[in-house]
Amino acid sequence: NLSDEFGDDCRGKGTSEATVYRRQADLRKFFNYLHSNKIAISEISHKTVIGFLGTIITLSDATVEHHRRTISLFLQFLFQNGYVDEDHSCNMPAKRCLRKNSLPSVWEREDVDKLLSAVDRGNPIGKRDYAILLLVTKLGLRTGDIRTLCLSDIDWETGRLSFVQSKTQKRVDLPMPNDVGWAIIDYLKHGRPKTEIQNVFLTGRTPIMAFSDASSLSGIIIRYAQMAKIDLSKHKHGMHSLRHTLATRLMEENIPISTIANILGHSSTD
């Protein structure tokens, strides 16, 4: 029940469903720790938190930090709703050294060009995949935003995309480059199945539907990278790596950090 209440509290503050799901998964580990050590919610203390973090300290810095953040928010929630008498989030240990994380994976310009050139735009799936890849390489859209992008999010008169980001729940407004616009038009007119579904991009097999929330779309990159004989061992090959690549190219062109943050839909320049 507390997990559900905490999830609703996060949603009320604009947290995305994907983040709520992960936070509740982190909480299950914390609850298991409390149960194993016979610690009631009302008995949670600073020592309890340190003890729990000690059980996951060998995991990656990013994972430990995500758990630390979740537990901190949960402790605030408990105090604000009267489940505990003290806000133990004030005594949470500091972030682990996230700056030790490796630099993001970045594609070479030649490899990006080869990836796009490998797409066969003579068939419906190729038209769809080419438009998706352009949205990532030219505009840096997140996978979640590509999955949920709707027909009404495209303003053809002004040539812009305007949508609420799935991760931040904030609206972003982006100019649509000509090649991106024409690729989407090609897919809509000659590749997209006739359907009442409002999502722009749909699966290619019956039953026709929008991509599921669990779809990472990384298979698109892997398929065309293999066709283009690109060595994927040199870098990560998820859609996110193309966002990192766009950010790097923009920095090389001396675009201000604040502008890059806006393009990528980041809430801050940090």
Side-chain angles (χ1 to χ4, degrees), residues 47-91:
K47 181 179 179 181
T48 305
V49 177
I50 298 299
F52 168 70
L53 293 178
T55 66
I56 61 169
I57 204 68
T58 57
L59 302 178
S60 70
D61 285 349
T63 300
V64 173
E65 168 55 17
H66 202 286
H67 280 75
R68 191 200 71 86
R69 175 63 174 162
T70 295
I71 301 306
S72 178
L73 292 171
F74 181 64
L75 293 176
Q76 292 176 29
F77 163 79
L78 291 178
F79 175 70
Q80 291 168 358
N81 289 274
Y83 289 107
V84 295
D85 296 328
E86 184 178 348
D87 184 3
H88 295 291
S89 68
C90 298
N91 299 315

Side-chain angles (χ1 to χ4, degrees), residues 186-225:
D186 188 29
Y187 170 61
L188 294 179
K189 293 183 66 174
H190 307 296
R192 187 177 183 274
K194 303 299 181 183
T195 175
E196 296 298 319
I197 300 174
Q198 292 300 299
N199 297 65
V200 173
F201 300 107
L202 307 174
T203 57
R205 299 178 180 177
T206 55
I208 299 299
M209 62 182 69
F211 287 107
S212 70
D213 291 343
S215 177
S216 67
L217 305 184
S218 59
I220 294 176
I221 290 182
I222 295 173
R223 178 163 63 253
Y224 296 112

Side-chain angles (χ1 to χ4, degrees), residues 222-238:
I222 295 173
R223 178 163 63 253
Y224 296 112
Q226 292 174 340
M227 293 172 62
K229 294 181 170 52
I230 297 172
D231 183 6
L232 289 176
S233 66
K234 295 187 299 182
H235 41 60
K236 295 180 181 179
H237 45 267

Side-chain angles (χ1 to χ4, degrees), residues 64-132:
V64 173
E65 168 55 17
H66 202 286
H67 280 75
R68 191 200 71 86
R69 175 63 174 162
T70 295
I71 301 306
S72 178
L73 292 171
F74 181 64
L75 293 176
Q76 292 176 29
F77 163 79
L78 291 178
F79 175 70
Q80 291 168 358
N81 289 274
Y83 289 107
V84 295
D85 296 328
E86 184 178 348
D87 184 3
H88 295 291
S89 68
C90 298
N91 299 315
M92 286 291 292
K95 291 182 179 180
R96 297 197 67 204
C97 301
L98 296 181
R99 290 185 178 83
K100 293 193 302 181
N101 287 354
S102 59
L103 290 171
S105 177
V106 175
W107 290 59
E108 298 294 336
R109 294 178 188 271
E110 296 76 12
D111 284 344
V112 174
D113 292 339
K114 288 167 62 177
L115 181 74
L116 294 172
S117 297
V119 182
D120 179 6
R121 286 179 274 166
N123 63 74
I125 296 299
K127 295 179 188 296
R128 180 200 68 186
D129 294 348
Y130 185 70
I132 288 175

Side-chain angles (χ1 to χ4, degrees), residues 115-172:
L115 181 74
L116 294 172
S117 297
V119 182
D120 179 6
R121 286 179 274 166
N123 63 74
I125 296 299
K127 295 179 188 296
R128 180 200 68 186
D129 294 348
Y130 185 70
I132 288 175
L133 289 173
L134 283 184
L135 282 172
V136 183
T137 57
K138 295 296 183 72
L139 292 176
L141 264 64
R142 293 184 177 92
T143 299
D145 295 330
I146 291 175
R147 291 194 304 252
T148 58
L149 188 69
C150 291
L151 298 172
S152 59
D153 295 330
I154 306 175
D155 187 335
W156 295 108
E157 290 188 5
T158 61
R160 304 186 72 84
L161 294 176
S162 180
F163 57 90
V164 176
Q165 300 170 97
S166 57
K167 182 175 182 177
T168 65
Q169 296 301 301
K170 294 182 179 179
R171 179 166 292 279
V172 63

Side-chain angles (χ1 to χ4, degrees), residues 2 34 39-45 78 82-86 88:
L2 277 179
L34 297 179
I39 300 173
I41 292 294
S42 60
E43 298 171 340
I44 291 176
S45 64
L78 291 178
Y83 289 107
V84 295
D85 296 328
E86 184 178 348
H88 295 291

